[in-house]
Amino acid sequence: MSKDSIQVGLSSASVFPLNVHDAFAVSRDIGYDGVEVLVTGNHLSQDPRKLTELSSRYDQPILAIHAPTLLLTQQVWGGAWSKIEKSAAMARDVGCDVVVVHPPFRWQGSYATGFADGVKRIMDDYGVRIAVENMYPWRARGRETKMYLPHWDPVPQPYEFVTWDFSHAAIANVDSLKSVRQLGDRLSHVHLCDGLDNGKDEHLVPGRGTQPVVASMEHLRDSGWDGHVVVEVSTRKAKGTGEREEWLAETLRFAREHLAPASADTSTDVTTHAS
């Protein structure tokens, strides 16, 4: 990989139901540049000392911490602000400066109404970037249910930093290329995947959905963007470790092909052997 290329990391969510330890091993074996750690109920994902040890053991820097702000991680790390503060502290402790968070749910009271101001305060306190991720409308019987406050779309919101996810954009029927261009310097982090407008958050291998992923990657390359691209592809339906690694290697090849400078040779950057 050219030293001028955008770094491509692997989200620990991409190896589920395997754990974060496996994510570091797979990331190294395939040839990724680092790991994004999704904080879950697994104690290893919550321990900055052990994560630092894994990072050193596998020579995989931690590129981002994904706070436990998902619906399925509501019981992790207590209250809403605690989740973000602990994630910011852990990011600082493991040596990365990006924390990915989801926008608030409407029922989260003062946390939701004061979200933008609270995010700014925590960024100032911990010296990290908190990048709010785009989500999507929830639909039931053809009607949209308002789940997020102020909205699932971070583009028009006063967030300094944003994470863009192509699978979420597909569900929302949003043109990712248009949004990426609108965000400009506010875009600090990308979850690379693909999706279909079928109401399912599938996190497909790029090219297997309908989002303009190629054009978006090439726009980032050509615009001199300096954030991280992290692969967040679902491999839950893979038939064993071999197919999981094939999918993740295919996605890394895709990323390198469309992110590397035109003169770079990416033909030897990716391996597919098992750990």
Side-chain angles (χ1 to χ4, degrees):
M1 182 187 66
S2 167
K3 67 180 180 179
D4 297 321
S5 299
I6 295 168
Q7 285 191 309
V8 182
L10 180 67
S11 168
S12 60
S14 293
V15 302
F16 181 84
L18 303 180
N19 64 32
V20 69
H21 188 166
D22 298 303
F24 279 92
V26 170
S27 182
R28 179 201 62 186
D29 288 347
I30 296 178
Y32 280 86
D33 298 316
V35 172
E36 175 182 308
V37 175
L38 171 62
V39 179
T40 66
N42 181 284
H43 292 297
L44 182 57
S45 73
Q46 303 175 21
D47 188 328
R49 180 182 61 82
K50 292 181 179 178
L51 290 175
T52 300
E53 290 174 357
L54 285 175
S55 176
S56 177
R57 175 180 174 182
Y58 290 101
D59 192 25
Q60 290 291 297
I62 297 172
L63 303 180
I65 298 296
H66 193 313
T69 51
L70 291 70
L71 188 61
L72 296 177
T73 57
Q74 290 300 294
Q75 303 306 312
V76 178
W77 279 357
W81 285 122
S82 174
K83 295 175 188 294
I84 298 184
E85 292 218 30
K86 287 185 176 181
S87 297
M90 188 159 75
R92 182 185 60 189
D93 291 345
V94 302
C96 73
D97 69 345
V98 176
V99 174
V100 178
V101 302
H102 287 188
F105 295 107
R106 296 187 68 85
W107 62 77
Q108 289 182 296
S110 61
Y111 168 74
T113 56
F115 183 68
D117 290 339
V119 161
K120 186 178 185 308
R121 174 185 61 79
I122 294 173
M123 286 197 297
D124 292 341
D125 288 347
Y126 290 89
V128 299
R129 290 178 289 168
I130 297 177
V132 183
E133 188 169 358
N134 64 306
M135 295 304 293
Y136 46 83
W138 291 28
R139 301 185 181 101
R141 298 178 181 178
R143 299 182 63 183
E144 181 176 327
T145 302
K146 295 183 178 179
M147 296 293 290
Y148 299 101
L149 192 73
H151 205 268
W152 50 262
D153 184 4
V155 175
Q157 306 306 321
Y159 306 138
E160 188 173 354
F161 301 109
V162 169
T163 294
W164 194 258
D165 183 296
F166 291 92
S167 181
H168 298 170
I171 299 173
N173 197 22
V174 169
D175 182 339
S176 286
L177 179 59
K178 179 179 178 181
S179 294
V180 164
R181 285 173 168 164
Q182 283 182 296
L183 284 167
D185 292 341
R186 295 172 59 212
L187 180 67
S188 61
H189 201 67
V190 168
H191 281 164
L192 177 58
C193 50
D194 207 337
L196 301 166
D197 180 20
N198 59 5
K200 299 178 181 179
D201 191 14
E202 296 180 284
H203 285 263
L204 302 173
V205 171
R208 300 183 186 180
T210 56
Q211 281 288 299
V213 186
V214 170
S216 299
M217 293 297 99
E218 293 178 349
H219 169 74
L220 296 179
R221 176 197 67 195
D222 297 340
S223 63
W225 186 70
D226 63 355
H228 293 140
V229 168
V230 168
V231 168
E232 195 177 79
V233 166
S234 175
T235 61
R236 286 175 292 179
K237 295 182 179 179
K239 297 175 182 178
T241 301
E243 189 168 38
R244 176 181 294 110
E245 291 205 351
E246 288 176 6
W247 291 0
L248 296 178
E250 177 184 342
T251 305
L252 180 56
R253 285 193 295 270
F254 176 96
R256 293 266 167 84
E257 176 183 355
H258 298 292
L259 288 172
S263 61
D265 178 6
T266 63
S267 60
T268 60
D269 287 339
V270 180
T271 58
T272 58
H273 59 279
S275 58

